[in-house]
Amino acid sequence: MMPSQSHADLLAAMREFALESDRYVDRAAAVHGLHRTHLNALGFLVSPGPNAPTPGKLGQALNLSSPAVTALVDRLEHSGHVIRQRGQVDRRQVELAMTESARIIGRQLFMPLAARLSQALDSYSPEELALVERFLNEMTNATAEAKGNLQAAPPATEAL
């Protein structure tokens, strides 16, 4: 089924929003000498969750290998953004926590964006916002489902 023009226009607008969001994150990271992966890691750590964040959970969230997670956490710890601490329940477990300085930098980087987005949202009614929220949740779920169905491309065959 071919998408209608309104679908194509909406998908183009979503793509442009995603690209502009990426550009904002890239710029925000560069302002403080960070890499996008650093901000993604800090974003994971600041998100509330039922269990304390660990290096393993961080690796799963960012799709990083164990050595890459170790190097990332080492860099974040060295720069004063993250601390490693022993688990409260299981002392053998290492948990990660953001430092207050990382929280301050995060607020400096993302409060201006949050303010502008909030300002844009103020022009919508509660009903419109509920519809947009439902839409975004459904698009996120559809994207996650499509991601789960991706398969590796077959190996390229060489020309004779």
Side-chain angles (χ1 to χ4, degrees):
M1 176 175 132
M2 288 294 293
S4 68
Q5 186 58 45
S6 63
H7 285 176
D9 292 345
L10 184 55
L11 292 172
M14 289 171 52
R15 187 173 48 253
E16 189 57 35
F17 174 72
L19 289 171
E20 194 59 38
S21 296
D22 283 347
R23 289 189 284 262
Y24 184 91
V25 170
D26 288 340
R27 177 74 179 122
V31 165
H32 281 276
L34 299 171
H35 185 273
R36 164 179 285 282
T37 306
H38 297 140
L39 287 185
N40 290 343
L42 294 173
F44 171 78
L45 295 175
V46 79
S47 299
N51 301 314
T54 63
K57 291 175 189 172
L58 178 63
Q60 287 176 336
L62 300 183
N63 196 29
L64 296 173
S65 67
S66 182
V69 170
T70 298
L72 172 62
V73 173
D74 286 347
R75 287 191 308 270
L76 289 171
E77 188 175 43
H78 179 73
S79 64
H81 298 306
V82 168
I83 58 169
R84 290 176 169 107
Q85 54 195 20
R86 290 285 164 201
Q88 298 295 325
V89 176
D90 182 351
R91 301 286 299 155
R92 296 171 296 172
Q93 185 75 48
V94 173
E95 296 174 355
L96 303 172
M98 284 180 61
T99 63
E100 186 56 29
S101 66
R103 292 181 193 285
I104 290 168
I105 289 171
R107 284 191 290 272
Q108 289 172 349
L109 293 175
F110 292 101
M111 288 302 289
L113 175 61
R116 294 301 293 258
L117 293 174
S118 182
Q119 189 177 34
L121 290 171
D122 285 343
S123 66
Y124 293 89
S125 70
E127 295 79 16
E128 289 172 319
L129 291 173
L131 178 62
V132 170
E133 181 179 2
R134 187 180 112 216
F135 169 79
L136 289 173
N137 286 333
E138 289 177 6
M139 294 300 102
T140 300
N141 291 337
T143 302
E145 185 178 317
K147 176 184 72 178
N149 292 330
L150 282 176
Q151 297 180 13
T157 57
E158 292 185 34
L160 296 174

